[in-house]
Amino acid sequence: MTGHLQPSRRWAALAVLCLGNYLILLDTSIVNTAAPVLMRTLDAGVGEILWVFNGYLLALASLLVLLSRLGDLLGPRRVFLGGLALFAAASLLCGLSQTAGQLIAARVLQGIGAAALLPQCLVLITAIFPPDRRGAAFGIFTAVAGVAAVSGPTLGGLVVTHVSWSWIFFGNVPLALGGIVAARRLVPDLRTPPPAGYDIPGVLLATLGLLALVYGLIEGERHHWGRIAGPLSIPAVLAAGVVLLVLFVLWERKQADPVLPPGLLRDPEFGAATAITFVTSFALHGFLLVFVLLTQLVHDMSPLESGLTALPWTLTLSAVAPVAGRLADRIGTRWLLTVGLAVFAAGVAGTGLLPTRDWTGLSYVWVLIGVGLGMGLVIAPTTTQAMRAVTPRLAATASGTLNTARQVGGAVGLAAVGAIVQHRFAEVARVEAEARSGELSVPGRQALESAMATAADGGALVGGRPAVAPAGLGGAEADRLRTVLHDAAASGFLAAARPALVVVAVLLALAAVLALVMRQSKPPAAPVVPVPVPKGRKGTREEDRPTRVKR
């Protein structure tokens, strides 16, 4: 399937796929910095704003299995184009939204488009590039993904500060339309053999199971891991998700053409790569949540300053990931993954344990370089490890599985890290506020108690600032109240960030051990093709000897 494509055409097609990948992953993080503006403009509450973030993630994570199989039936390029078109239309609707409900619905549509687009990218890269060039291709592709995830706060802060929140979404439209035109011209219309049947019950079980599981994880902390409404509770939703996924596994064992072939995850290389993908995404989303709030809440940075502080992370990742992809083609993946995960863990642990209240953006340079170096060494070799031995017939399924692990890992990371931070934050902030309450008058102390009650319910984590209720207080007393609240919130979050990031670092260290003991992935050698020797020559000269074809 790749022989008719010129090398320049392959890389041009990769650029188009990278554009689609960049847009959908950028939208997982760029909206966060606009939360306070959205709350004021749309008259939205905390719960509604959380769904602006999570509606996109929920649709993306839960529909990947369903829509990855659609590529088998209709062709990966066609589904890629349809997903990108839906994403563009939904982005336009997001920017035009006048209420929180409209924005949430449009974000869900964005997630559906992203879920259709994303798995087709890996299928097309696997088909377009020969095995000994896939590492470099995956390196570039995953470097773009990493840059998209970590550049969201910077770009979001810039757009919200200097233009409008609507342009966070409007900016997607011309880029997506340009991607559609370029994809029709540059991305080949490749087809894999269609499946013998379409396992609708298996797809439904997997989709509903993931939907329930991801929903429960996202909403758990907001409902205090208890009742949602009536008899429905978070534990019941999570249990239903687990039961549905168990039924999915049992059902798949009996199918002639299963959605997820049992042998795929039993393959040691693919199984290890899927687990590492889950942990890496868990770490990325959990770390990003803590980092953005740490810089804005503890160090008083603006959204734009916070994003600029992350530049050492972004630039290091961008520089290292393509190189790591090429190295994976030459030396295999074991040591790249082991060293990368260990360095990633060290950078995350340093960010959690070292900062003090007087740190500046420059203080974070070295720990963020460590995070970027570790991520850069991991993300491309992990994808290479997973997709290297996958046959074209299973490429769509493998891609969907890998992307599902990535998105579910991100959802679990946000939920777990958010829960740790929120619990510890409220506890320490309350102690700090009570210790400083003697500085306030009786009305000031009452306002302080009201504000801390709001913070304990999670309001302080939205937008990175504590709620302040200085009504009825004089100017000087209101200023003292703001100072006490700010210091309490900063101390609480600094204390909360430490255990949260230590948990992330421990998981990364365990993943490094898994990478060390997994089977070594051997890079594929280019085939030896004998060059015909004309009659009358003995073929002893260098140019007459068998050579390796360079693609």
Side-chain angles (χ1 to χ4, degrees), residues 33-213:
T33 52
V37 176
L38 291 173
M39 293 178 73
R40 291 193 302 269
T41 305
L42 302 179
D43 192 24
V46 172
E48 291 170 308
I49 289 301
L50 288 175
W51 268 106
V52 170
F53 305 152
N54 294 335
Y56 179 81
L57 183 61
L58 184 64
L60 176 56
S62 60
L63 294 176
L64 277 169
V65 173
L66 172 64
L67 297 179
S68 67
R69 293 286 284 181
L70 199 60
D72 290 335
L73 297 176
L74 303 178
R77 189 185 76 161
R78 185 176 297 178
V79 178
F80 176 87
L81 289 169
L84 193 54
L86 178 58
F87 183 84
S91 295
L92 181 62
L93 293 175
C94 285
L96 295 173
S97 296
Q98 300 298 309
T99 67
Q102 292 174 358
L103 182 56
I104 292 167
R107 286 284 283 170
V108 171
L109 282 178
Q110 268 193 318
I112 295 172
L117 181 159
L118 185 58
Q120 312 312 321
C121 293
L122 293 186
V123 175
L124 288 163
I125 292 173
T126 302
I128 291 170
F129 286 88
D132 62 329
R133 292 292 182 268
R134 285 179 197 155
F138 285 139
I140 294 172
F141 184 79
T142 50
V144 168
V147 171
V150 302
S151 63
T154 305
L155 293 177
L158 184 64
V159 172
V160 170
T161 301
H162 296 291
V163 191
S164 163
W165 70 265
S166 299
W167 280 93
I168 287 177
F169 304 107
F170 287 153
N172 292 332
V173 177
L175 293 174
L177 293 178
I180 291 171
V181 173
R184 292 182 63 86
R185 295 187 59 184
L186 299 173
V187 177
D189 189 12
L190 305 171
R191 298 297 177 97
T192 56
Y198 198 62
D199 182 13
I200 295 178
V203 168
L204 290 177
L205 286 171
T207 300
L208 293 176
L210 287 171
L211 183 66
L213 193 63

Side-chain angles (χ1 to χ4, degrees), residues 183-529:
R184 292 182 63 86
R185 295 187 59 184
L186 299 173
V187 177
D189 189 12
L190 305 171
R191 298 297 177 97
T192 56
Y198 198 62
D199 182 13
I200 295 178
V203 168
L204 290 177
L205 286 171
T207 300
L208 293 176
L210 287 171
L211 183 66
L213 193 63
V214 175
Y215 175 88
L217 291 170
I218 289 174
E219 289 290 287
E221 183 64 24
R222 189 163 74 92
H223 294 286
H224 305 290
W225 303 97
R227 189 172 66 88
I228 301 172
L232 187 63
S233 67
I234 291 295
V237 171
L238 292 173
V242 172
V243 169
L244 288 169
L245 291 177
V246 170
L247 291 175
F248 166 71
V249 172
L250 296 176
W251 173 266
E252 292 298 284
R253 290 179 176 178
K254 302 177 181 179
Q255 304 308 304
D257 188 34
V259 175
L260 181 60
L264 193 60
L265 286 180
R266 285 200 298 264
D267 178 87
E269 294 192 52
F270 186 84
T274 302
I276 291 171
T277 296
F278 179 92
V279 172
T280 304
S281 185
F282 180 107
L284 169 62
H285 286 80
F287 179 82
L288 186 60
L289 171 69
V290 172
F291 175 78
V292 169
L293 294 175
L294 189 66
T295 52
Q296 294 187 36
L297 182 57
V298 176
H299 304 305
D300 290 322
M301 297 184 190
S302 68
L304 182 57
E305 290 170 334
S306 174
L308 293 175
T309 299
L311 279 179
W313 176 14
T314 307
L315 296 175
T316 304
L317 171 63
S318 305
V320 172
V323 177
R326 290 193 293 271
L327 285 174
D329 286 333
R330 297 183 180 183
I331 66 173
T333 58
R334 176 192 291 174
W335 290 109
L336 289 171
L337 293 176
T338 302
V339 173
L341 288 164
V343 174
F344 192 179
V348 169
T351 306
L353 298 175
L354 298 178
T356 61
R357 288 282 303 275
D358 58 355
W359 268 37
T360 66
L362 291 176
S363 305
Y364 281 95
V365 168
W366 291 109
V367 290
L368 291 181
I369 286 176
V371 173
L373 176 61
M375 283 187 63
L377 290 173
V378 169
I379 51 179
T382 304
T383 306
T384 302
Q385 171 88 4
M387 301 299 290
R388 176 170 282 159
V390 173
T391 62
R393 190 179 69 84
L394 293 178
T397 302
S399 173
T401 303
L402 205 61
N403 280 300
T404 299
R406 181 175 292 113
Q407 301 308 324
V408 173
V412 175
L414 282 171
V417 171
I420 296 170
V421 166
Q422 213 162 356
H423 174 75
R424 182 65 175 156
F425 169 85
E427 180 182 308
V428 176
R430 179 172 293 280
V431 171
E432 178 72 15
E434 289 175 355
R436 298 278 301 276
S437 62
E439 303 173 17
L440 303 172
S441 65
V442 173
R445 286 196 292 272
Q446 292 174 343
L448 176 65
E449 291 176 3
S450 174
M452 291 311 300
T454 303
D457 195 39
L461 294 183
V462 178
R465 291 291 184 272
V468 179
L473 298 179
E477 184 69 5
D479 288 341
R480 282 194 293 271
L481 173 61
R482 292 189 184 95
T483 300
V484 170
L485 275 169
H486 173 73
D487 290 346
S491 298
F493 194 84
L494 190 60
R498 288 168 180 155
L501 292 185
V502 166
V503 168
V504 173
V506 169
L507 283 178
L508 287 168
L510 293 174
V513 174
L514 173 62
L516 181 63
V517 301
M518 74 181 182
R519 190 174 68 189
Q520 173 70 56
S521 175
K522 295 181 180 180
V528 175
V529 181

